[in-house]
Amino acid sequence: MSDVASYSPRTAAWARRRRSFSDGISRLRKDRVAMIGLVVLVGFVIMALIAPWMSPRGGLSAVDSINNPTWHPPSRDFPLGTDHLGRSVAAQFVWGSRVSLLVGFAATVLTITIGSLVGISAGFFGGWTDAVLMRLTDWFLVIPFLPLAIVLAAVLDRSIWNIILVIGVTSWPSTARLIRAQVLTVKTRLYVDRARALGASRPHIVARHILPNVAPLILASVTLAVPIAILTETTLAFLGLADPTQNSWGKTLEEAFGAGAIGRNAWWYHFPAGLGIVAVVLAFTLFGRGLEEILDPRLREEGARR
Amino acid sequence: MTILELRDLHVTYKSDRGDVPAVRGVDLAIAAGETVGLAGESGCGKSTIAGAVLRLLPRDTIVGGQVLLNGDDVYELKPGRLRAVRWTAAAIVFQGALHSLNPVRRVGEQIEEAIVLHSDRGDAGTHAVRDRITGLLERVGLRPDLARSYPHQMSGGQRQRVLIALALACEPDLLIADEPTTALDVMVQAQVLELLAELQRDRGLALLFITHDLSVLSTTCDRLAVMYAGRVVEEGRTVDLLKTPQHPYTRALARAFPTIGDPRSRMNPSGLGGDPPDPTHLPSGCPFHPRCDMAIEACATADVLLRPIRPDRAAACVHVAVSA
Amino acid sequence: MRARFVVGKILGSLATLAFVLAVNFFLFRVVNDDPTGSLFRGRNLSPDQIQRRREQFNLTGTKFEQFLAYLRQTARGNLGDSFLSNRPVTTEIMEAVWPTLLLVGTATVLAMLVGIPLGIHAGWKRRSRFDAASTSFSMFTYSVPDFWLGMILLAVFAVGLGWFPTGGFEDAGSNATGVAALLDQLHHMALPALTLMLAYIGEYVIVMRSSILDTLNEDYLQLARAKGLRDADVRRRHAVPNALLPVVSLTALNFGFVLSGAIAVEAIFSWPGLGQATLEAIRGPDFPMLQGLFLVFSIAAILANLIADLLYAHLDPRVGGR
């Protein structure tokens, strides 16, 4: 790099990143499975966004549904039937996607933020900071995740923001570990040392050198953290720890089970919500795997060598 | 008697980026008791040849030409026959002894496995087999009790010796040593080379010695073949070839290491500029011409195959034809 | 394994235990400023009763004194009394441990026995049709909420086809003994165990497969092949022993989740185990019970973690300073 005068290392690095980015995009587009995942995802996100236009919120209220037939199988008026209170299951499905996706995304943002902060600090500062943070991370990794989330949620008030908080503060450790490992790799690369030797400040090194190299990994972690967050919300909601005023898919399943949908063979009540969860989680996982394969050089190697 | 004969060997790997022609027409013969050196930079196809001899390349690899081991075409053998030939007709001392030994099994077990597989000497654990392992370890200069060690408990030199003992386990006719000394320090390197030379003399083995380090070959080999971009570009008797290299590539390699007792060569350790070519995008004409200090206009368009100079000597360069 | 290694690991586990105890204490008493508020929420208690509860839960004195009192009490095996039954939490938990251990243990072993060979085969024949099928199957079961899977199985096989009972540990009022009782319990366990097995299997397949893929490029496999071993023997003697190492520790770790792994599924099948107890404690809310359950779940995980580390060191000659 250094013997080409018109080419500063920084522009070279950015050019390399841009190149590998567009290279990555075109690889991703060739990955059919990942693309199917993406399309399904976009579909659900659109559904969540336009929920108010697709089905009026009143459909979720038992009072407004007082004149509807109860336990009604799918029909023209009720494409997914009605529940034990006469509410439209279709409306619950549409609105449920909103809550499940919101919790999934918001909790992931929290998870990734905490995980990245801990991972980058531990990896970058090293020494006792690293020792303390990693000890804490290990403790959180050992404690079974779901019971911790349950206990936390049980102590806090039932609200959608507390659910997000609970998922966020219990699921960051694996992200922190992943990011720390990557920071250590980046740190050992020559140019960080060189930047430090030239007198660059620490924030400068983090912003210019560490972050751009860790960003792809953070992105991949996001796509793999969202499905975990959605599944956790579903379980917490099923156990009765969710916000009673918000209809997530997990909440629908809880109500369906509690109302005896299974004994009544009212498959239309519990089947759509479960299928929605599976579809979204699977879509995220497939897209995330595709992304990871492109962003993680170690995984790419496997495909190339054999 | 000829042990190994390669006839117009071609090897093409399949990869995401397309076909990779790693070996592009190599002829080579090794007789019993003979040591032949195969030299070249990494990526020139020399290690591929080691894999091709025992059919160890990835399944989708395209192999053309013939590989004759004791007269049998390896690529015509039925699976059972092929397994029987492996390690008895030819054995390989792989490069990177740490990774070539299975980390979770004792080295004795790994030697035993080969012996039991290929002999009717008896089953695992019998006296005959144990004596044989002891004999092999002693032959390569290791204490017999090291058989109970795991690879990570040994030094690099010891592991390399274990690999050699392992290669000798079934008394092969041909030993292929693929960079056997690369990872070792100079002292141990010399010991391992000495050991290989001894074994070769004692047993009348045919030895194919693959390395990027010409200085290693100069003392051990009867004949040398220099490879570049999947082809042999020069071959001949070792002394002859090193003293009067004909191909500019050989000349550059020969210059790169000091000749003992020649003060001039010490003063001028001129290496070679540039990188070896990418096998997927080989230069037109003679593949060496972009790095050649003697290239003429024709080199960019006309490819040159090996040209015999005299018995036992050939090189692939336009200048050879002109001078001969 | 060196003694130092073992002692180090045990000390590490004790540190984790101390952390769990601290979390367990502060979560219930500090997250909310007024611990009585969170501890006794939803319960109608007279001021007198509240005072008695305060003493019972060591809510007198400074936070630090309270913590010490909690540690002393816990060390004696006293986890307080359940709000719902007024019986000691320890007794309640002991009664529920066995059904959970039986159910989740069986499901874990079955998932391993099926998942590991599937993963080995898929990895060895990577990109084959078998690989594609088993990987898709694993990804699917991985994405399904386990309790919903349970609901579907319940709807189809218990309600629809009537092949299995809809829940419980054994037939109500049954006084069968011996083989008949065992068969009855197995009959009740079949659906929940199948649910959990399907939920767990994917992880084993995926981890085992990627572990096999990691070994595929190893030089020692090349050497084993060069020796003249059959493909099946290269796989059995060289690839699998190395690839199993990470899976062994995964398995040990998963046994740490045996107690807490079936909370929602137990609820679906009314299985009288720790999961069911957790659900009831949430609904109560029965905080002493919840606290005790969390402690037990965590101790199981810590123990499993320790065993996983020691087992790994025992199996992998490179670890543990041998």
Side-chain angles (χ1 to χ4, degrees):
Chain A
M1 254 191 289
S2 55
D3 48 33
V4 186
S6 64
Y7 220 51
S8 88
R10 190 190 295 166
T11 52
W14 278 109
R16 179 169 49 76
R17 274 178 211 132
R18 252 197 314 276
R19 219 173 23 247
S20 65
F21 181 74
S22 56
D23 184 43
I25 294 283
S26 69
R27 286 174 74 100
L28 194 59
R29 286 170 75 166
K30 276 190 224 138
D31 187 340
R32 232 180 49 231
V33 177
M35 281 297 115
I36 292 174
L38 184 65
V39 169
V40 172
L41 264 183
V42 170
F44 273 102
V45 169
I46 291 174
M47 181 172 94
L49 289 175
I50 64 169
W53 291 277
M54 278 177 79
S55 118
R57 194 145 171 61
L60 299 180
S61 142
V63 181
D64 292 350
S65 311
I66 201 101
N67 295 320
N68 294 345
T70 58
W71 294 117
H72 199 276
S75 63
R76 277 260 302 277
D77 291 343
F78 302 103
L80 291 177
T82 63
D83 67 5
H84 58 298
L85 301 171
R87 295 173 301 181
S88 157
V89 176
Q92 294 180 47
F93 181 75
V94 171
W95 284 89
S97 71
R98 220 171 148 86
V99 180
S100 291
L101 283 175
L102 173 69
V103 173
F105 281 117
T108 298
V109 168
L110 196 58
T111 301
I112 300 293
T113 309
I114 302 175
S116 304
L117 280 178
V118 171
I120 291 177
S121 325
F124 184 70
F125 294 111
W128 66 266
T129 317
D130 185 30
V132 170
L133 287 176
M134 279 304 109
R135 206 44 297 182
L136 192 71
T137 308
D138 281 346
W139 282 339
F140 268 97
L141 276 176
V142 173
I143 297 179
F145 160 73
L146 192 63
L148 181 61
I150 287 174
V151 164
L152 253 178
V155 171
L156 299 169
D157 292 329
R158 308 277 192 274
S159 87
I160 190 168
W161 300 110
N162 277 341
I163 289 290
I164 291 168
L165 183 77
V166 163
I167 298 172
V169 298
T170 50
S171 55
W172 58 267
S174 48
T175 310
R177 286 217 127 182
L178 205 68
I179 305 258
R180 171 179 173 270
Q182 176 73 3
V183 170
L184 289 182
T185 319
V186 175
K187 221 169 79 168
T188 51
R189 276 189 220 147
L190 184 76
Y191 60 89
V192 174
D193 286 347
R194 210 166 50 192
R196 187 178 290 152
L198 289 173
S201 67
R202 279 179 163 174
H204 173 87
I205 297 172
V206 171
R208 286 275 169 189
H209 299 281
I210 306 272
L211 269 183
N213 282 292
V214 179
L217 198 66
I218 295 180
L219 190 64
S221 315
V222 167
T223 54
L224 297 176
V226 176
I228 295 174
I230 291 178
L231 283 175
T232 309
E233 191 278 338
T234 305
T235 304
L236 291 178
F238 180 75
L239 294 175
L241 291 164
D243 191 332
T245 64
Q246 300 282 343
N247 261 82
S248 73
W249 284 333
K251 185 107 184 73
T252 303
L253 290 178
E254 186 220 353
E255 289 180 350
F257 185 72
I262 290 174
R264 284 175 162 271
N265 264 325
W267 54 269
W268 61 88
Y269 194 179
H270 63 76
F271 203 68
L275 211 58
I277 295 162
V278 173
V280 168
V281 168
L282 201 56
F284 258 111
T285 311
L286 294 179
F287 180 65
R289 272 172 63 111
L291 205 60
E292 197 184 38
E293 215 161 295
I294 284 154
L295 298 175
D296 187 343
R298 207 179 64 91
L299 288 174
R300 197 161 19 175
E301 195 77 340
E302 183 232 308
R305 272 183 67 178
R306 294 264 158 162
Chain B
M1 193 184 80
T2 306
I3 304 285
L4 173 71
E5 191 176 353
L6 307 180
R7 290 187 185 160
D8 195 27
L9 180 69
H10 283 76
V11 179
T12 305
Y13 291 114
K14 294 282 179 191
S15 89
D16 290 353
R17 296 178 303 147
D19 291 359
V20 183
V23 177
R24 306 183 300 135
V26 166
D27 293 278
L28 195 71
I30 304 174
E34 194 183 20
T35 304
V36 174
L38 198 55
E41 292 162 294
S42 61
C44 72
K46 56 192 193 309
S47 290
T48 299
I49 288 182
V53 170
L54 287 183
R55 263 174 85 173
L56 295 172
L57 303 171
R59 209 163 292 185
D60 54 1
T61 309
I62 304 164
V63 179
Q66 284 181 307
V67 177
L68 303 178
L69 252 182
N70 294 324
D72 294 330
D73 187 336
V74 174
Y75 286 81
E76 300 282 311
L77 295 175
K78 296 218 164 62
R81 183 82 192 105
L82 173 67
R83 287 198 300 272
V85 163
R86 284 175 173 171
W87 228 244
T88 55
I92 304 178
V93 180
F94 282 94
Q95 56 178 317
L98 178 59
H99 301 292
S100 297
L101 291 168
N102 190 331
V104 300
R105 302 187 57 197
R106 298 176 198 276
V107 297
E109 286 169 18
Q110 302 190 42
I111 298 174
E112 183 178 56
E113 184 178 59
I115 297 173
V116 171
L117 192 67
H118 288 291
S119 74
D120 34 32
R121 213 185 283 266
D123 293 324
T126 59
H127 276 291
V129 174
R130 238 176 299 155
D131 290 350
R132 175 101 181 102
I133 296 171
T134 304
L136 284 166
L137 289 175
E138 279 172 348
R139 184 63 200 86
V140 298
L142 291 175
R143 291 196 323 274
D145 59 296
L146 283 173
R148 298 195 43 78
S149 310
Y150 288 99
H152 75 279
Q153 295 169 320
M154 311 179 112
S155 71
Q158 286 176 324
R159 281 195 289 263
Q160 197 61 53
R161 285 167 191 268
V162 167
L163 269 195
I164 293 171
L166 183 56
L168 294 172
C170 303
E171 295 170 344
D173 306 314
L174 168 71
L175 196 63
I176 302 175
D178 186 0
E179 304 270 14
T181 59
T182 308
L184 306 174
D185 64 58
V186 183
M187 283 293 291
V188 184
Q189 212 173 46
Q191 291 167 3
V192 170
L193 285 177
E194 179 57 29
L195 172 64
L196 281 171
E198 252 177 64
L199 289 168
Q200 197 270 332
R201 275 198 304 275
D202 291 1
R203 306 190 174 220
L205 280 173
L207 181 60
L208 176 60
F209 207 123
I210 299 175
T211 179
H212 66 280
D213 186 352
L214 221 53
S215 65
V216 165
L217 296 175
S218 64
T219 52
T220 39
C221 297
D222 308 320
R223 285 193 299 128
L224 286 185
V226 178
M227 280 189 75
Y228 190 81
R231 282 202 194 134
V232 173
V233 293
E234 183 159 7
E235 62 184 0
R237 307 212 63 81
T238 307
V239 185
D240 193 19
L241 187 140
L242 289 178
K243 211 178 268 173
T244 56
Q246 295 297 308
H247 196 283
Y249 179 63
T250 315
R251 213 168 293 142
L253 283 185
R255 269 204 309 266
F257 76 94
T259 312
I260 293 160
D262 181 353
R264 270 177 312 154
S265 73
R266 287 250 295 268
M267 304 304 291
N268 182 26
S270 70
L272 191 57
D275 295 319
D278 175 359
T280 52
H281 297 101
L282 288 176
S284 61
C286 168
F288 185 61
H289 85 265
R291 299 168 78 190
C292 182
D293 52 7
M294 292 174 66
I296 56 174
E297 221 169 284
C299 295
T301 49
D303 201 358
V304 188
L305 296 176
L306 269 184
R307 297 170 178 191
I309 301 168
R310 51 183 172 267
D312 269 348
R313 193 66 199 275
C317 177
V318 267
H319 299 295
V320 168
V322 173
S323 61
Chain C
M1 252 184 295
R2 288 220 187 97
R4 262 189 65 186
F5 177 81
V6 178
V7 171
K9 288 289 170 198
I10 291 175
L11 286 180
S13 297
L14 287 177
T16 315
L17 180 64
F19 177 71
V20 166
L21 285 168
V23 167
N24 211 355
F25 175 81
F26 287 103
L27 211 60
F28 286 92
R29 283 152 230 242
V30 179
V31 165
N32 274 4
D33 253 358
D34 180 10
T36 42
S38 78
L39 276 173
F40 311 135
R41 191 176 59 199
R43 303 191 62 80
N44 239 337
L45 296 172
S46 69
D48 211 40
Q49 281 172 309
I50 288 183
Q51 187 52 36
R52 227 174 326 123
R53 298 278 190 193
R54 275 178 173 278
E55 274 154 31
Q56 186 198 334
F57 285 97
N58 302 309
L59 291 180
T60 50
T62 65
K63 281 274 146 57
F64 188 65
E65 283 166 8
Q66 290 178 23
F67 186 47
L68 288 183
Y70 165 74
L71 289 185
R72 268 198 304 275
Q73 200 185 339
T74 307
R76 284 198 301 266
N78 178 2
L79 298 175
D81 291 344
S82 158
F83 281 170
L84 295 176
S85 66
N86 281 325
R87 298 197 306 155
V89 167
T90 330
T91 316
E92 293 274 339
I93 290 179
M94 290 306 279
E95 278 174 12
V97 157
W98 168 241
T100 296
L101 217 54
L102 180 69
L103 171 65
V104 190
T106 308
T108 305
V109 170
L110 287 177
M112 253 171 64
L113 289 180
V114 179
I116 290 177
L118 281 182
I120 291 174
H121 198 72
W124 198 251
K125 306 270 177 207
R126 73 204 169 289
R127 290 177 191 185
S128 66
R129 228 172 251 186
F130 180 87
D131 181 24
S134 83
T135 306
S136 316
F137 168 76
S138 310
M139 302 277 291
F140 180 75
T141 59
Y142 213 55
S143 307
V144 177
D146 52 4
F147 65 89
W148 182 66
L149 190 62
M151 283 163 76
I152 301 294
L153 293 181
L154 190 65
V156 173
F157 294 104
V159 177
L161 297 169
W163 291 355
F164 296 98
T166 54
F169 186 70
E170 52 202 356
D171 279 339
S174 154
N175 44 16
T177 50
V179 178
L182 185 71
L183 284 178
D184 183 36
Q185 285 176 13
L186 283 179
H187 195 210
H188 280 78
M189 197 171 81
L191 276 188
L194 178 66
T195 305
L196 289 171
M197 181 190 123
L198 287 174
Y200 295 159
I201 230 172
E203 187 177 19
Y204 286 99
V205 175
I206 289 171
V207 172
M208 192 66 228
R209 174 181 180 273
S210 80
S211 189
I212 284 278
L213 287 184
D214 281 344
T215 64
L216 283 183
N217 289 329
E218 294 285 355
D219 294 339
Y220 56 77
L221 285 199
Q222 188 86 331
L223 187 124
R225 229 169 257 130
K227 276 185 194 169
L229 285 174
R230 286 166 189 280
D231 187 62
D233 287 332
V234 174
R235 165 160 114 177
R236 188 168 56 86
R237 295 193 203 164
H238 292 274
V240 171
N242 279 280
L244 268 178
L245 290 174
V247 181
V248 167
S249 49
L250 171 79
T251 306
L253 287 180
N254 279 351
F255 270 99
F257 302 130
V258 157
L259 296 185
S260 58
I263 294 176
V265 171
E266 283 187 11
I268 296 284
F269 293 98
S270 325
W271 189 258
L274 292 172
Q276 181 86 322
T278 308
L279 187 69
E280 280 163 18
I282 293 171
R283 293 215 175 123
D286 185 348
F287 286 105
M289 189 69 192
L290 215 46
Q291 206 176 2
L293 285 165
F294 179 64
L295 186 64
V296 170
F297 292 155
S298 299
I299 289 176
I302 293 170
L303 272 180
N305 223 50
L306 179 65
I307 292 169
D309 281 347
L310 297 183
L311 201 60
Y312 197 98
H314 178 71
L315 292 176
D316 188 340
R318 288 163 294 182
V319 183
R322 248 199 307 203

